[in-house]
Amino acid sequence: MSGLRAFARARETGILLALVLVVVVTTVKNPSFVFSGDGWRDLLLTPSILVLVAIGQAIVIITRSVDLSVSSVLGLSAYLTGRLFLDVPGIPIILVFLIGLVFGGALGLINGALVAFARVPALVITLGTLYAYRGINVVWAGSNRINASDLPKDFLALGTGSILGIPILAIIALVALVIAGWYMRNIRSGRELYAIGSDPDAANLYGLRVTRRIISAFIVSGALAGLAGVLYAARYGTVNSQAGTGFELDAVGAAVIGGVAIVGGSGTVWGAAIGAVLLLTINRALPILGVPDFWQRAVVGVLIIGAIVLDRLLALRQSRRLVEARDDTNV
Amino acid sequence: MSTTHSPSERPREPGEPTLVLRRVAKSFGQVVALASADLTVHAGSIHALVGENGAGKSTLVKIVAGLYTRDSGDFELAGESVNFTSTAESKAAGIAVIYQEPTLFPDLSVTENLFMGRQPVSRFGRIDRKAMRAEALRLFERLAVRIDPDRPAEGLSIADQQILEIAKAISLDARLLIMDEPTAALSGVEVDRLFAIARSLRDEGRALVFISHRFDEVFALCDTITVMRDGRYISTDDIAAVTAEEIVRRMVGRDVSDLFPKQETTIGDVLLNVTGLSSPGVFSDITFTVRSGEIVGLAGLVGAGRSEIARAVFGVDPYTAGTVTLGGTRVPPNSPTAAMARGMALVPEDRRKQGLVLESSVARNTTLSIRRTLAKAGIITSGFENAAAAIWASRLEVKTSALDSEVGTLSGGNQQKVVLAKWLATNPRVLIIDEPTRGIDVGTKAEVHRLLSELAGRGMGILMISSELPEVLGMADRVLVMREGRLTADLPRAEATAEAVMLAATHPGGAADAHTGTPNEAVAS
């Protein structure tokens, strides 16, 4: 019972309902949106890469930072993936995945160390590394491009293949989501990330290892963006120096829409993941519903602002309720 | 320094003291926060630590808590020398500190707040929420309080937040509990509850340090009292052996030297008239006047609402009742621009944050308040700026190589002069100045004082907020004293002694112009 009530009250439930609504309405208009091989596959496959990046983004935002560099990390990792297959013939696919993870994590470590030690807001630092990492990518790739023909068939199959009707990419995203969700809820260091975002000064007074935790949040975000880069290569087959551009804003948008407070301390990776799915599903649904291309980005903007306004209203209502509850018990 | 009682004179001697500090010193750059602090706290004792603002109590607490490391001196815990470099270490050693401002995570549940960083875990390091919740309920039961363990900490009353801090301390099984002004925001009932808990902790054999400005509470709760002044240890006594008056005398006990070049001025008509000013929860029913040529000191403890009044009068903060008139005309609320137009100026407390653009030049900062009049056809050239600034800089003797050097590079004293220059450039009739000499070296202090005195001599009305008693007593023609949001005394220069001011600032009903409410009336209303 209480589980059901908690579900009904959770911030994530609303966003999930919105997603279901979008899918149902679009399917009524055009049944093949869900009920066709391609429709079903796209529904799950399209958001998978963004879900991964949004999970990392949510973890960083929960600590009251932000990681704008994710799209450049993704791009670099995607290009690295292609180069590895080209330059190291026969390299095991699993090793490429590991390299992508570690490489992204290392770039995340640079972000985290700069934020934690230089004491400059993450917004500025990661805006800087967003450009810097992309610049490295441009210098490295030049006008070269990785083509699908450069990549092993087995690797490309991962990007489009399914197991029991569920795309492999979606399964990877879901596994990452379950692990991150469990960690953020049940492990001390996960809870400390919430504490740090809720009140960094108090976290210091509590004796929490604030610096270490913030750096690890950035490492996780980088590693997930690195993994997303490998999957990007597998999914699209074509990688140039601009791969993933714009992902950072989608990731922040997904987290915010999913109820992760931009000031830190609240929200869940589950919400961010649902937000990512909603964001990309709406993008695909709007043309079917007859909304011109032109308006699609505006709709996404309205969604983000709406989510923030809703958050603010809920927070105000909540704090009023809490104050009233307090006055009742004290009288 | 003055009366020093050796620990051997204490009536009870329950073995090894829990905490011993000897000749502990701590400086921040040039500023000496602690010169030589001594404190010995025994198990099973509630030890009061008192002193004026800036006496070094908070610095001392932060050293014990591991937030600061001492420069020199001994720090022993149960006989062993310790050296904390983080709060985690002091916590592990059994020290719990309840800070003035509760330190909670508003987004997290009450239970999580209690156990953050040390949650009970089961297999795979998974947090055992059931056990954690049960433990929270057990703690609350023991403290005889009812707080929902599942609600978020956001919106908890200050009292409940304090209770949470105490519950945290108990669950840590702390042997030393330091409470830094825990009652500042509590009502009478809540204070009683807190004291009952403190006594039961004492009876369990824990050591408690209680920092407070409320002598009625100190005398009701504590058994031993240590006085600090100017970062130094003054005395430790059995509480029964001293009176409140004696403690106050030791707290302020320095000579109000004639360092203050107070000019005799002719005091003229009423310039600033504040009547019945109220802002719920901040201050209430504030009525006072400032006359031409008069320096009115506004004294009181930090948090008594002095700066808030200044901000309200100047129109920065809103107020719900009352009026402000300047030279007979009404000053509308909520409009600093209107206040400035009528001839009021406010030099804020935190000059770096509120008074200066640190990255800009001296000239630009000085002329910031008169940009409109300085502009020719809407354009300000640095020529105009420098010319206007040069007048003030020379008059105030701002020591800087060039008017275009960045303000941030000046010393505190010179920064303060730039802020003053900025406001004096508007030609105010009434100057409100908040902590005019905080963080300024002695020499520059005297210059600022001389300047204020001179301005009053020329007929300006000055309202000076200061936490430094000597400054208030030395400079002011009249001293207003605040306590918890109310004016508790209005003392002419002749009657304004350190004792009278401290008493009115700390003691309910202690002032001549007494307010006779309960200690917490101002907060409760």
Side-chain angles (χ1 to χ4, degrees):
Chain A
M1 256 328 270
S2 74
L4 197 64
R5 203 175 312 142
F7 175 76
R9 268 220 306 256
R11 179 71 180 75
E12 289 77 18
T13 310
I15 200 78
L16 189 60
L17 288 178
L19 174 61
V20 169
L21 189 74
V22 168
V23 171
V24 167
V25 169
T26 316
T27 308
V28 167
K29 178 109 184 193
N30 180 357
S32 71
F33 189 66
V34 171
F35 299 111
S36 71
D38 279 355
W40 173 249
R41 202 193 63 167
D42 284 350
L43 188 68
L44 299 178
L45 191 56
T46 310
S48 296
I49 293 176
L50 182 60
V51 164
L52 281 175
V53 181
I55 293 169
Q57 190 66 254
I59 293 174
V60 171
I61 293 179
I62 282 168
T63 66
R64 203 180 270 194
S65 286
V66 70
D67 185 355
L68 293 182
S69 73
V70 283
S71 62
S72 298
V73 174
L74 185 153
L76 263 179
S77 163
Y79 190 74
L80 174 71
T81 302
R83 294 277 14 141
L84 283 172
F85 284 120
L86 274 174
D87 301 342
V88 190
I91 187 171
I93 290 174
I94 183 75
L95 185 60
V96 173
F97 271 83
L98 279 177
I99 291 174
L101 266 171
V102 171
F103 175 70
L107 295 179
L109 172 65
I110 295 175
N111 285 332
L114 286 172
V115 170
F117 294 115
R119 302 204 174 270
V120 177
L123 186 74
V124 182
I125 294 281
T126 58
L127 187 65
T129 51
L130 168 71
Y131 286 109
Y133 293 164
R134 182 64 69 188
I136 293 169
N137 200 345
V138 171
V139 170
W140 187 17
S143 55
N144 288 338
R145 202 168 74 167
I146 308 288
N147 292 306
S149 55
D150 302 331
L151 302 173
K153 278 208 175 54
D154 289 347
F155 181 68
L156 290 170
L158 283 175
T160 45
S162 302
I163 296 173
L164 300 175
I166 301 175
I168 294 170
L169 255 56
I171 294 174
I172 294 175
L174 191 65
V175 169
L177 178 60
V178 169
I179 293 173
W182 193 83
Y183 167 81
M184 292 296 281
R185 178 165 169 79
N186 290 315
I187 299 298
R188 278 183 185 172
S189 48
R191 299 314 297 170
E192 288 176 14
L193 294 176
Y194 281 94
I196 290 163
S198 192
D199 190 335
D201 295 335
N204 259 324
L205 291 176
Y206 263 69
L208 303 186
R209 286 180 287 202
V210 177
T211 309
R212 177 185 295 198
R213 295 278 172 267
I214 289 179
I215 292 177
S216 5
F218 275 99
I219 292 177
V220 170
S221 172
L224 284 172
L227 175 63
V230 179
L231 298 180
Y232 183 98
R235 164 101 206 270
Y236 297 104
T238 316
V239 181
N240 62 17
S241 65
Q242 298 303 312
T245 309
F247 246 73
E248 72 285 347
L249 295 184
D250 283 346
V252 174
V256 169
I257 292 171
V260 177
I262 198 79
V263 290
S266 69
T268 62
V269 292
W270 287 97
I274 301 170
V277 176
L278 179 64
L279 199 65
L280 295 187
T281 304
I282 282 190
N283 267 341
R284 287 177 48 247
L286 290 175
I288 296 172
L289 296 174
V291 178
D293 278 10
F294 203 64
W295 285 102
Q296 289 173 21
R297 310 231 21 121
V299 169
V300 171
V302 168
L303 206 63
I304 291 174
I305 294 172
I308 291 175
V309 170
L310 180 69
D311 247 4
R312 192 72 211 125
L313 288 177
L314 289 177
L316 279 176
R317 210 182 60 174
Q318 158 103 337
S319 68
R320 244 201 320 272
R321 197 172 54 79
L322 290 173
V323 168
E324 277 164 17
R326 170 182 99 196
D327 291 347
D328 287 351
T329 52
N330 275 9
V331 167
Chain B
M1 296 277 297
S2 65
T3 35
T4 306
H5 297 248
S6 75
S8 60
E9 284 177 37
R10 291 173 42 84
R12 288 171 296 97
E13 199 57 40
E16 191 86 60
T18 304
L19 170 73
V20 177
L21 295 175
R22 264 189 304 267
R23 296 179 303 283
V24 169
K26 175 76 186 172
S27 301
F28 299 95
Q30 300 287 322
V31 183
V32 179
L34 277 184
S36 171
D38 285 36
L39 184 64
T40 303
V41 185
H42 290 264
S45 155
I46 305 181
H47 196 119
L49 182 60
V50 298
E52 270 189 290
N53 301 325
K57 295 166 300 186
S58 292
T59 310
L60 186 144
V61 169
K62 284 177 177 162
I63 287 174
V64 175
L67 272 174
Y68 298 159
T69 47
R70 63 190 189 276
D71 296 339
S72 61
D74 302 330
F75 177 5
E76 289 171 12
L77 210 59
E80 278 177 45
S81 178
V82 286
N83 211 353
F84 298 137
T85 54
S86 75
T87 48
E89 289 176 26
S90 75
K91 214 181 229 185
I95 296 174
V97 181
I98 299 173
Y99 298 94
Q100 257 170 55
E101 301 287 322
T103 52
L104 297 172
F105 305 114
D107 300 297
L108 302 183
S109 77
V110 161
T111 305
E112 283 212 271
N113 264 287
L114 284 176
F115 298 103
M116 182 52 69
R118 50 191 185 88
Q119 298 96 330
V121 291
S122 55
R123 279 203 307 164
F124 311 118
R126 182 182 189 191
I127 293 170
D128 189 342
R129 284 175 186 267
K130 259 200 188 127
M132 192 161 81
R133 190 174 184 278
E135 177 67 16
L137 284 172
R138 213 178 54 74
L139 279 169
F140 290 150
E141 196 173 315
R142 184 163 157 213
L143 295 173
V145 292
R146 285 220 329 263
I147 301 176
D148 176 3
D150 303 320
R151 62 160 291 158
E154 186 184 359
L156 279 177
S157 70
I158 299 285
D160 283 345
Q161 295 183 31
Q162 298 281 15
I163 298 290
L164 271 198
E165 298 279 356
I166 291 170
K168 216 158 68 185
I170 295 175
S171 75
L172 273 171
D173 203 29
R175 50 182 162 176
L176 174 65
L177 175 63
I178 301 175
M179 297 186 281
D180 192 353
E181 295 203 47
T183 60
L186 300 191
S187 71
V189 185
E190 292 161 346
V191 169
D192 291 344
R193 189 169 65 173
L194 176 68
F195 282 9
I197 294 168
R199 291 193 182 97
S200 80
L201 292 176
R202 174 196 63 195
D203 296 341
E204 285 172 17
R206 298 174 206 270
L208 287 88
V209 175
F210 181 73
I211 297 176
S212 176
H213 285 297
R214 295 181 176 175
F215 287 121
D216 47 341
E217 294 175 0
V218 166
F219 279 84
L221 181 67
C222 304
D223 45 58
T224 319
I225 183 165
T226 292
V227 180
M228 288 182 69
R229 185 174 72 222
D230 299 334
R232 287 176 187 284
Y233 167 83
I234 300 300
S235 67
T236 296
D237 293 274
D238 196 85
I239 201 98
V242 286
T243 61
E245 286 69 25
E246 174 62 17
I247 294 295
V248 168
R249 201 187 58 70
R250 288 185 201 164
M251 278 165 62
V252 296
R254 56 194 150 185
D255 297 327
V256 178
S257 57
D258 23 31
L259 265 174
F260 299 95
K262 173 76 184 132
Q263 294 181 357
E264 285 311 314
T265 55
T266 40
I267 291 173
D269 297 334
V270 171
L271 273 179
L272 178 69
N273 194 349
V274 175
T275 325
L277 211 62
S278 296
S279 174
V282 188
F283 51 80
S284 64
D285 200 19
I286 302 295
T287 300
F288 66 90
T289 58
V290 178
R291 290 166 178 276
S292 160
E294 188 180 37
I295 299 181
V296 176
L298 185 51
L301 302 170
V302 170
R306 297 167 305 167
S307 303
E308 287 77 1
I309 287 177
R311 291 168 59 84
V313 168
F314 191 63
V316 183
D317 290 349
Y319 47 90
T320 53
T323 56
V324 177
T325 59
L326 204 160
T329 49
R330 176 89 192 268
V331 181
N334 298 328
S335 172
T337 320
M340 274 169 71
R342 282 162 183 73
M344 210 190 296
L346 170 70
V347 179
E349 178 178 17
D350 185 343
R351 58 177 168 267
R352 294 179 69 87
K353 272 197 193 139
Q354 299 168 2
L356 291 171
V357 185
L358 291 175
E359 296 80 8
S360 277
S361 72
V362 170
R364 183 147 298 171
N365 269 287
T366 310
T367 54
L368 210 54
S369 57
I370 50 166
R371 299 192 75 74
R372 226 168 259 280
T373 47
L374 211 59
K376 297 271 151 61
I379 295 167
I380 302 173
T381 67
S382 45
F384 293 143
E385 247 175 27
N386 283 331
I391 301 171
W392 284 105
S394 68
R395 221 192 273 182
L396 299 189
E397 294 168 21
V398 178
K399 289 186 188 65
T400 168
S401 47
L403 285 171
D404 54 9
S405 43
E406 274 182 33
V407 166
T409 62
L410 301 185
S411 73
N414 281 311
Q415 285 184 4
Q416 182 69 316
K417 286 186 193 170
V418 172
V419 180
L420 259 174
K422 176 177 103 177
W423 286 108
L424 296 178
T426 65
N427 241 333
R429 289 193 285 168
V430 171
L431 175 69
I432 304 175
I433 184 160
D434 198 352
E435 302 288 359
T437 60
R438 172 173 291 172
I440 293 180
D441 61 278
V442 181
T444 320
K445 251 182 192 175
E447 278 182 58
V448 171
H449 290 145
R450 178 185 53 74
L451 188 77
L452 289 178
S453 198
E454 218 176 276
L455 291 169
R458 277 194 246 128
M460 196 182 284
I462 297 177
L463 179 65
M464 181 184 76
I465 299 170
S466 175
S467 296
E468 290 190 39
L469 259 182
E471 179 168 278
V472 173
L473 301 178
M475 294 298 299
D477 297 293
R478 205 146 53 77
V479 179
L480 305 172
V481 188
M482 283 193 74
R483 178 175 178 275
E484 293 176 4
R486 285 169 184 274
L487 279 180
T488 51
D490 184 345
L491 307 164
R493 186 173 173 83
E495 290 172 29
T497 61
E499 284 80 3
V501 172
M502 272 316 274
L503 217 54
T506 56
H507 215 63
D513 183 1
H515 96 105
T516 48
T518 66
N520 307 290
E521 192 182 279
V523 176
S525 61

